[in-house]
Amino acid sequence: MHSISLRRLWTCLIAFCLLAPVVSAQEKVFRDGAATSNMTPPLGLPIVGGFSPVPSKHVHDELFARCIVLDDGQSPVALVVCDLLGLSAGISVEARRLIEERVGIPSTNVLICATHTHSASSALGDNRYELGHTLNDYQKFVVTRIVDGVQRAHNLLRPAEFATGTVQIPEHVFNRRWYLKPGTMPVNPFGNTDDKVKMNPRPGSSDLIEPAGPTDPALTFLSFREPDGKPIALLASYSLHYVGGVPNRDISADYYGRFSEHFLRISGTDQQDPPFIPILSNGTSGDINNIDFSKPRISRPAYEQLDAVALDVAEKVHAALKNAQYARNVTLAASYRELQIGLRRPDERLLSWAEKVVSEGRKSERDLSYIYADRVRHLENVPETTAIPLQVLRIGKLCIGTMPCEVFSEIGLEFKQRCAIQPALLLSLSHGYFGYLPPPRQVDLGGYETWLGTNRLERTASDKMLTELLGMVEEMQRQSASHGAR
């Protein structure tokens, strides 16, 4: 009797040992789910893409939070791309808190960024310069829609494969900051000609010398599909500011939204269930747009140019997918940190100028001197420093870094080159909006992106943020290597 009991015990132990690895493997199967969440604002809220916001009158196409949830059985990650000009840090904080509470994804593992469409209502708050402001009604709605989208994507988690690749698309990106011939620099809103470069000069002008910086023509994509090949989601990142050509009272996701629509049609997945979710995000395009300044610009009907760019980009990414090499054993990692960065404040001379201009009243809707004088006054009492959110995600062998600004292309290029995990990409407008982020040499050149009221962070902010971000990557690489990450 005793021997029979021992034999049964040994049989159970052997069976447990054989089954344990199977259960462990099942727990760590790489999974993916994706969903969209409509965040279109009601008509009548101001559209904030221009210097003078105007109330919306029409919805040309809906705005979405496009969401991807990834899970390797150990470190779940969520990626959210919103059809917004930008989003306040408060939206990211609250949405990530609720996602952790409801879905179980750590707040540090959730990436939330904006596309920078100029045809959306503001999610920056009633005063974009006020740090830590209370969320207004539309911001609260955006939070709800982000959380709902992530929860729905989580509901759709299923076994997945992952591939990444790069496509060179130089024909749509142009540096918009130009050196001009001596004596031709126009007066800026502050009443001087101290700028050494001009943003958006007249296309084809004989005054142009050369662009003040590079472009980044490389589009990086992340593709997720089921093991049988059925697509789940695609996330592409391209360093193009936006395209525009949208009537000023229309709500539109710009070319980002049209990219998604075109990709669904091209891939024949527009009727798929669960839906396939293609997403286009904004890389580092603070000084890049879609205008070739070397020649005169041709006037086009509304939406024509953005549709053409979106179609071409979608076709090129779709073609590149044919050569994608998919992997099933994918691991994930995430790191989130806040770095104290100095805020710019106006000096007494600038404040005196601002008070004088404001006291004289606004001369027109596009009175840039008045607009910037008002912005300068709002920045008089900002704190010396503020917390800047930085994030690093690793998906398989791919690295994603984030910054909460309109990041210049050369910063993105440097991150790609120096990043310890390759391939790499940098996403702008993530977890907040702190204005333009030029590198120090561009700050010294002046121009729109460096003016106080457009640019809010200290001169060397980009250097400090890039150093911190690269350090986070190196730390992650060491941790991943110690765990044998793939």
Side-chain angles (χ1 to χ4, degrees):
M1 190 77 176
H2 181 69
S3 62
I4 294 174
S5 298
L6 283 175
R7 283 197 299 270
R8 287 179 177 172
L9 177 60
W10 278 109
T11 301
C12 291
L13 285 172
I14 292 169
F16 175 79
C17 291
L18 290 172
L19 288 172
V22 176
V23 173
S24 177
Q26 288 176 343
E27 289 176 352
K28 294 188 177 182
V29 167
F30 178 64
R31 298 185 298 158
D32 177 31
T36 61
S37 194
N38 192 314
M39 58 197 304
T40 307
L43 292 178
L45 291 184
I47 294 174
V48 291
F51 284 109
S52 300
V54 294
S56 60
K57 284 190 174 182
H58 178 63
V59 177
H60 177 270
D61 52 281
E62 306 283 346
L63 308 183
F64 291 94
R66 295 178 168 89
C67 310
I68 299 173
V69 171
L70 309 173
D71 192 352
D72 64 353
Q74 186 170 347
S75 301
V77 165
L79 310 168
V80 183
V81 180
C82 302
D83 290 326
L84 296 169
L85 178 86
L87 51 92
S88 70
I91 287 178
S92 171
V93 170
E94 181 63 5
R96 290 184 297 113
R97 182 188 71 81
L98 290 172
I99 288 168
E100 180 167 358
E101 178 182 293
R102 297 182 188 179
V103 186
I105 302 174
S107 62
T108 54
N109 293 24
V110 180
L111 190 166
I112 303 174
C113 65
T115 61
H116 201 58
T117 173
H118 274 223
S119 304
S121 294
S122 176
L124 301 176
D126 298 328
N127 177 6
R128 70 169 67 181
Y129 303 112
E130 180 184 354
L131 301 174
H133 63 263
T134 301
L135 299 183
N136 63 25
D137 288 343
Y138 182 58
Q139 289 178 304
K140 292 176 182 177
F141 174 70
V142 168
V143 168
T144 299
R145 297 276 64 205
I146 290 172
V147 177
D148 286 352
V150 170
Q151 188 166 355
R152 290 168 55 209
H154 187 267
N155 293 341
L156 293 171
L157 280 172
R158 62 253 197 212
E161 300 176 334
F162 166 64
T164 184
T166 300
V167 188
Q168 297 294 324
I169 314 179
E171 57 266 40
H172 302 305
V173 289
F174 304 92
N175 197 292
R176 69 183 191 177
R177 288 165 55 85
W178 280 71
Y179 292 102
L180 305 184
K181 291 178 179 178
T184 63
M185 185 64 65
V187 176
N188 64 29
F190 304 94
N192 62 65
T193 57
D194 294 344
D195 296 326
K196 298 179 178 62
V197 298
K198 174 77 171 70
M199 184 269 286
N200 287 351
R202 181 167 59 87
S205 170
S206 60
D207 296 335
L208 302 181
I209 298 176
E210 63 181 0
T215 64
D216 182 0
L219 178 148
T220 301
F221 64 84
L222 295 70
S223 178
F224 306 93
R225 71 181 189 186
E226 295 180 21
D228 65 359
K230 185 178 181 181
I232 301 174
L234 174 100
L235 174 61
S237 174
Y238 190 42
S239 293
L240 173 57
H241 206 69
Y242 71 104
V243 175
V246 177
N248 68 350
R249 293 182 185 269
D250 278 15
I251 288 174
S252 172
D254 205 273
Y255 94 112
Y256 308 98
R258 285 298 285 157
F259 168 89
S260 299
E261 295 170 6
H262 281 309
F263 205 94
L264 287 172
R265 179 183 55 80
I266 293 167
S267 60
T269 56
D270 49 340
Q271 300 300 316
Q272 181 179 296
D273 185 28
F276 168 50
I277 310 298
I279 307 170
L280 181 61
S281 62
N282 197 327
T284 51
S285 63
D287 54 343
I288 307 300
N289 67 17
N290 188 234
I291 302 171
D292 183 355
F293 292 97
S294 67
K295 56 188 178 183
R297 191 177 185 185
I298 300 172
S299 178
R300 296 180 182 274
Y303 296 103
E304 181 178 277
Q305 180 66 10
L306 74 83
D307 187 71
V309 174
L311 175 59
D312 186 60
V313 173
E315 288 177 338
K316 286 181 167 61
V317 176
H318 183 257
L321 276 177
K322 297 175 182 177
N323 299 317
Q325 299 295 314
Y326 287 85
R328 296 186 183 182
N329 298 321
V330 179
T331 59
L332 306 170
S335 176
Y336 178 94
R337 193 171 296 170
E338 294 184 351
L339 178 67
Q340 288 294 320
I341 292 290
L343 289 170
R344 294 176 60 189
R345 294 177 177 177
D347 58 23
E348 290 300 322
R349 180 190 60 80
L350 195 56
L351 279 172
S352 177
W353 167 83
E355 293 293 343
K356 179 177 182 297
V357 170
V358 170
S359 68
E360 293 172 353
R362 190 166 185 165
K363 299 177 177 59
S364 67
E365 281 299 306
R366 198 175 167 80
D367 183 350
L368 293 187
S369 290
Y370 181 92
I371 290 169
Y372 273 89
D374 186 56
R375 291 182 180 185
V376 165
R377 294 172 71 208
H378 276 101
L379 295 170
E380 178 182 3
N381 297 313
V382 298
E384 290 186 7
T385 65
T386 190
I388 296 295
L390 302 173
Q391 189 177 36
V392 172
L393 300 178
R394 182 183 57 74
I395 303 171
K397 296 181 179 180
L398 174 84
C399 181
I400 300 176
T402 75
M403 291 181 178
C405 305
E406 297 187 54
V407 184
F408 273 39
S409 61
E410 58 195 85
I411 299 171
L413 288 167
E414 185 175 355
F415 177 78
K416 288 182 176 182
Q417 181 182 13
R418 295 176 58 192
C419 188
I421 299 174
Q422 292 288 335
L425 63 94
L426 186 61
L427 293 182
S428 300
L429 300 164
S430 302
H431 302 302
Y433 182 82
F434 292 88
Y436 280 87
L437 187 67
R441 79 171 191 91
Q442 292 284 353
V443 174
D444 296 341
L445 292 177
Y448 164 77
E449 298 88 349
T450 73
W451 298 339
L452 184 60
T454 306
N455 171 272
R456 300 165 58 188
L457 303 180
E458 60 177 295
R459 175 181 176 275
T460 58
S462 69
D463 285 351
K464 293 179 179 180
M465 292 162 66
L466 185 60
T467 297
E468 187 73 17
L469 207 58
L470 291 170
M472 292 167 65
V473 174
E474 290 175 358
E475 182 179 327
M476 177 178 287
Q477 184 194 38
R478 290 192 296 270
Q479 293 174 349
S480 298
S482 66
H483 291 91
R486 288 169 290 188

